[in-house]
Amino acid sequence: MAKILAIESSCDETAVAIVDDGKLLANVVATQIAVHEKFGGVMPEIASRLHSENITVCLQQALDESKVRLEDIDAIAVTRGPGLIGCLHVGLQAAKTLAMLYDKPLIPVHHLAGHIYANEYIGELKFPLLCVVVSGGNTELVYMKDHLDFEIIGSTTDDAVGECFDKVARVLGLPYPGGLPIDLHAKQGKHTYDLPHPNAGAGKYDFSYSGLKTAVINLVHNLKMRGEAVRVDDMARSFEDVAIGMVVDNSMRAAKDYKVRQIVLAGGVSANSYLREQMKEKVGGTGIELVVPPLWCTTDNAAMIAKVGEHLYKLNYFAPLSLGVDPNWKIDDQLTLLKN
Ligand code: KG4
């Protein structure tokens, strides 16, 4: 095992973590949510600038909390993608600078691999497994036969599920990010609004969210035009049933077809209480184990990047300092990046 320092800056959280032989010694996260809230979404240019301001502060805090010296770190792991290009650059440049100055190996980590491996903080991953990656930027079903072996078997053909929660929340006048407010309102509501059940693309386990989003927006506008009140709780319930229903249905179908031992939830939307409840109910009696991440690792952090870093360190999976970011990096290329 090793001491790994990890950096994450792919969206609106600047994060630095340090692990030593699997033990998390520091996990510093500086979130920018309050800044982006007034725009109703992440402003990429502002996000990059804030990462530049925050990265050294987070680094210093992580070193102070862990009492580890940079000289004693074995490797620097960093999110290389996917994410916002300017944001990724800040983290990668910081990681490369440390790697060069202290002569440490550099480990490129896929952001979603991080979300999946965050679950190792609560238990062992058992293969084959199906990972349900649901966040503001991604909606993917990832099949894993073994460690670091990722195969995307289903994905969204348009919007990500979290993005859809955020847009629907906005049209309902709820704060950003909209996932939690919708989750809370839905608990008080009834499924009274008729919304379309989107027919996803060609793939058997694909998702589609743009039609559902547009249907809610149109319905809300029509109600307002007719001077009718929008029942926010009921709209949230009706929307959540369809949006989360799609995740649950596709996941259960794929899990059974692929005969997996575990279903692992990952990403910001995995905090959704209805998703957690529904998945627990559906796996009952199937023999499949459901792994639900603790809430602290459903949001972006560097502890999860460090976990993947540990696995890659064992493989000597080190990148040259010429490495660049990839905002569209595919998870199935995590291991092939340095083999081509
Ligand atoms: O993984 P994440 O922190 O950021 C990335 O997209 O990388 O996910 C953020 C997303 C947002 O769209 C947010 O609205 C959603 O996760 N979210 C939720 C809940 N909490 C956060 N969506 C549904 N229900 C929730 N309780």
Side-chain angles (χ1 to χ4, degrees), residues 83-207:
L84 298 168
I85 188 162
C87 297
L88 290 166
H89 270 304
V90 177
L92 184 62
Q93 292 311 322
K96 284 206 241 181
T97 308
L98 292 174
M100 193 169 82
L101 273 177
Y102 291 89
D103 196 20
K104 306 292 179 191
L106 180 71
I107 303 178
V109 175
H110 191 282
H111 178 77
L112 296 183
H115 274 303
I116 297 171
Y117 274 85
N119 286 289
E120 279 201 329
Y121 283 106
I122 53 161
E124 191 196 343
L125 298 181
K126 294 175 195 152
F127 304 98
L129 67 78
L130 178 77
C131 189
V132 181
V133 186
V134 277
S135 73
N138 298 275
T139 311
E140 270 156 19
L141 293 184
V142 181
Y143 173 66
M144 291 177 71
K145 273 201 278 275
D146 205 347
H147 277 298
L148 301 168
D149 179 356
F150 306 103
E151 184 191 345
I152 300 171
I153 57 168
S155 58
T156 181
T157 52
D158 39 60
D159 296 348
V161 59
E163 189 185 346
C164 190
F165 267 86
D166 295 340
K167 296 271 165 56
V168 165
R170 193 173 177 171
V171 79
L172 293 177
L174 302 174
Y176 170 85
L180 183 59
I182 292 211
D183 196 355
L184 296 175
H185 277 278
K187 283 187 206 291
Q188 318 295 328
K190 289 199 175 60
H191 190 145
T192 53
Y193 290 107
D194 192 20
L195 295 171
H197 287 248
N199 204 356
K204 209 172 160 194
Y205 312 109
D206 284 343
F207 302 87

Side-chain angles (χ1 to χ4, degrees), residues 22-286:
K23 193 162 169 264
L24 188 58
L25 300 183
N27 184 26
V28 179
V29 182
T31 181
Q32 307 173 2
I33 285 183
V35 178
H36 299 291
E37 203 173 8
K38 53 181 170 291
F39 303 108
V42 178
M43 293 295 279
E45 177 56 31
I46 295 175
S48 319
R49 273 191 257 159
L50 289 173
H51 283 307
S52 304
E53 284 173 23
N54 294 340
I55 188 82
T56 45
V57 182
C58 293
L59 175 64
Q60 190 59 56
Q61 194 180 328
L63 292 169
D64 292 347
E65 281 178 18
S66 64
K67 300 190 174 45
V68 170
R69 299 178 323 147
L70 276 167
E71 292 81 346
D72 301 327
I73 295 284
D74 292 301
I76 317 280
V78 62
T79 305
R80 181 199 174 235
L84 298 168
I85 188 162
C87 297
L88 290 166
H89 270 304
V90 177
L92 184 62
Q93 292 311 322
K96 284 206 241 181
T97 308
L98 292 174
M100 193 169 82
L101 273 177
Y102 291 89
D103 196 20
K104 306 292 179 191
L106 180 71
I107 303 178
V109 175
H110 191 282
H111 178 77
L112 296 183
H115 274 303
I116 297 171
Y117 274 85
N119 286 289
E120 279 201 329
Y121 283 106
I122 53 161
E124 191 196 343
L125 298 181
K126 294 175 195 152
F127 304 98
L129 67 78
L130 178 77
C131 189
V132 181
V133 186
V134 277
S135 73
N138 298 275
T139 311
E140 270 156 19
L141 293 184
V142 181
Y143 173 66
M144 291 177 71
K145 273 201 278 275
D146 205 347
H147 277 298
L148 301 168
D149 179 356
F150 306 103
E151 184 191 345
I152 300 171
I153 57 168
S155 58
T156 181
T157 52
D158 39 60
D159 296 348
V161 59
E163 189 185 346
C164 190
F165 267 86
D166 295 340
K167 296 271 165 56
V168 165
R170 193 173 177 171
V171 79
L172 293 177
L174 302 174
Y176 170 85
L180 183 59
I182 292 211
D183 196 355
L184 296 175
H185 277 278
K187 283 187 206 291
Q188 318 295 328
K190 289 199 175 60
H191 190 145
T192 53
Y193 290 107
D194 192 20
L195 295 171
H197 287 248
N199 204 356
K204 209 172 160 194
Y205 312 109
D206 284 343
F207 302 87
S208 168
Y209 282 100
S210 77
L212 177 61
K213 174 188 73 184
T214 310
V216 176
I217 293 172
N218 289 344
L219 185 54
V220 170
H221 285 168
N222 288 341
L223 289 169
K224 284 187 179 161
M225 296 266 281
R226 294 204 298 268
E228 288 177 37
V230 179
R231 297 184 311 278
V232 174
D233 292 349
D234 291 347
M235 189 66 83
R237 173 79 275 137
S238 310
F239 163 74
E240 195 174 79
D241 281 353
V242 180
I244 295 298
M246 207 178 341
V247 177
V248 174
D249 290 350
N250 276 4
S251 305
M252 288 312 299
R253 207 154 23 87
K256 285 176 189 161
D257 291 351
Y258 280 77
K259 300 186 175 44
V260 300
R261 287 177 73 192
Q262 277 184 338
I263 297 179
V264 173
L265 302 186
V269 181
S270 70
N272 185 268
S273 60
Y274 183 61
L275 173 65
R276 290 171 172 233
E277 193 186 292
Q278 282 291 299
M279 290 300 293
K280 270 185 205 140
E281 195 183 308
K282 299 281 171 162
V283 295
T286 61

